[in-house]
Amino acid sequence: MKIFSKLMAAICLITAILTQAQNNYPQNYFRNPLNIPMQLAANFGAVRTNHFHMGLDLRTNSQENLSVLAAADGYVSRIKVERYGFGNAIYIIHPNGFTTVYAHLNKYFDKLDEYLKEKQYKDEKWEQDITFQPGQFPVTKGQLIALSGNTGGSAGPHLHFEIRDTKTEECLNPLLFGFNIPDSVAPIISGLYWYDRRFSTYEPGANGIAVKKIRNAYTADVVRVNSPMISFGIKAVDKANQGFNLGIYKAELLMDGKLIYGFSIDKVSYDDTRYLNGCIDYTKFIRDKVGIQHLSTLPGMKLANYSTSNLSGVINLQDQEIHTIEIILKDVKGNTSRLTTKVQLANAGSGISPSEKVILPNEGKTLTTENAEINFSKNAMYDAVNFSMYEKNSSDGNAISNTIVLQNPYIPVHDYYTLKIKPNRKLSKDEKDKVVVLFNYGSDKDAVKAKWNGDQAEAQFNRLGTAELILDNGLPSVSSGWKDGAVVSGSSLRLKGSTKIGDIVSFRAELDGKWLRFARVKNDFIYIFDEKCPKTSGEHSLKITTINTAGNINTQTFTFRR
């Protein structure tokens, strides 16, 4: 019995060593950064709007201010404070070549928080991006480094946790580092789709196939297609034992027993994360809120270390025989799901023809209308697009141009393009200085201050929709929750910002003539009472200066007592 136990222990050790050698990631080096069991609300590689999810979202039981602990020995190399994105984040470099990141925090540990506050007052700036030397803030494994929160772009209390390669800054899949997160649930498949690849996945788009589950296997009826060149897409989610919908880690596509495509999400950089839009059916995701991942490579998708080299996943059916298709999905723990079906070429129909305004992947292009011009780089498109661009009358009374229609919001663009628009009348210098380009994406709007090149207003965008020039003379403002001169109780001051077009791009608060630190949460500005606002018998004067996208400036003064 002892010999058997020793043999099994040796086998487990060898397996662990082989696993570590295979992925080159240290196992069990990093600890859980929370004092509660690790439960996932989102995993690495999950599909997000315009990016992969780049770490783990760890549940904090819907609470804030839980202790966040250093995952290993190291030193604080950087902290960030920002309105969106990570909110408050801390970066720790470790001696083994990795960096851990902890985001959406409420507060840093005391000494670091004091350093931050001093710098914010010195710079008279709330948003910060500070780097540190190794000896400034060393930490040990398990040391308290922050309190969890809900800051930045967070939609609810949780801890976002990343592991990065310190040298390359690539984000690595933390689940490959041996964390103990129970998972015995295989990926769940809910849809199969095929695409006509003679022209583009965008036209005519996804063709749905009914999927059935019989016991532990997924099947679909024979897929009869009318194109000799096709590819597949899969709608599926993974689940750990806690039940949250997670992203798919690994997929393989086989035809007649031969591997023709595969992907796995082990690592990705922030420079490349937008390539997610070339890995999914973007149209279905944005328009219909349906997540479909391509089991093929689009011609403009250049994400390294994602799909299997030299396997495109595009199927060229050269006969009308019935071919066997198998799709295999796996999570990091090895839990596996399989879908089997068959595909057959029926009578081939006519495909989509390129228009004169077609934009191809890896090919830059400039398109024009009477009053507008758009310039795409060679990296703009993931697949071919029969581009539609035209003008129509604007319905906005403040518009000083026609509305420029750029395709629709359901086709992705990888990088920024330049849009130029001519106003419909001559503008003075002062008027030009108040012009913004208002872009409507369908679900939301964005405004960018215009840059002028002669009689053309220029701006850059990385999504499609409609654009027009707006002359904005409106003032930004903030509103308080108290009447002037009133006694303010509680622990904080909160001001709500608003502007008709665009955003408040600059906010400055002065209390009795001195800069005061307000944090920004979306459109709210919050000051937590501290020694900078003492309780006195007198009245405090709070001067607020705001600037909006167009550059309009407004100064307001509020008074209160404590």
Side-chain angles (χ1 to χ4, degrees), residues 86-131:
F86 281 170
N88 299 325
I90 187 168
Y91 300 67
I92 297 177
I93 287 181
H94 305 280
N96 64 342
F98 298 100
T99 298
T100 50
V101 183
Y102 316 73
H104 307 308
L105 308 169
N106 272 353
K107 186 178 183 294
Y108 304 108
F109 65 91
D110 288 345
K111 287 186 178 180
L112 185 56
D113 209 55
E114 291 168 7
Y115 182 99
L116 168 63
K117 180 177 178 179
E118 182 178 334
K119 191 170 192 309
Q120 286 171 322
Y121 273 97
K122 179 182 177 182
D123 297 345
E124 296 188 349
K125 182 181 179 183
W126 171 68
E127 289 197 309
Q128 295 283 335
D129 189 349
I130 309 170
T131 57

Side-chain angles (χ1 to χ4, degrees), residues 93-239:
I93 287 181
H94 305 280
N96 64 342
F98 298 100
T99 298
T100 50
V101 183
Y102 316 73
H104 307 308
L105 308 169
N106 272 353
K107 186 178 183 294
Y108 304 108
F109 65 91
D110 288 345
K111 287 186 178 180
L112 185 56
D113 209 55
E114 291 168 7
Y115 182 99
L116 168 63
K117 180 177 178 179
E118 182 178 334
K119 191 170 192 309
Q120 286 171 322
Y121 273 97
K122 179 182 177 182
D123 297 345
E124 296 188 349
K125 182 181 179 183
W126 171 68
E127 289 197 309
Q128 295 283 335
D129 189 349
I130 309 170
T131 57
F132 301 101
Q133 296 301 312
Q136 285 183 269
F137 292 102
V139 296
T140 57
K141 187 173 185 176
Q143 176 183 326
L144 176 71
I145 57 171
L147 299 179
S148 70
N150 187 30
T151 58
S154 173
H158 72 282
L159 175 67
H160 178 85
F161 176 68
E162 293 182 2
I163 300 178
R164 300 183 183 182
D165 183 309
T166 302
K167 185 176 181 179
T168 67
E169 295 189 349
E170 286 180 305
C171 291
L172 310 172
N173 191 335
L175 295 180
L176 300 174
F177 286 77
F179 289 107
N180 181 26
I181 302 177
D183 182 2
S184 58
V185 183
I188 298 170
I189 301 172
S190 58
L192 180 65
Y193 301 81
W194 72 269
Y195 298 83
D196 185 341
R197 294 301 295 269
R198 286 174 292 180
F199 175 66
S200 172
T201 53
Y202 305 133
E203 297 185 61
N207 299 276
I209 304 162
V211 171
K212 298 173 288 187
K213 185 179 182 183
I214 302 175
R215 291 183 289 275
N216 294 322
Y218 295 87
T219 64
D221 294 335
V222 176
V223 181
R224 291 184 170 86
V225 300
N226 60 0
S227 169
M229 187 173 292
I230 67 167
S231 63
F232 285 98
I234 193 80
K235 180 186 175 187
V237 296
D238 190 24
K239 287 182 180 288

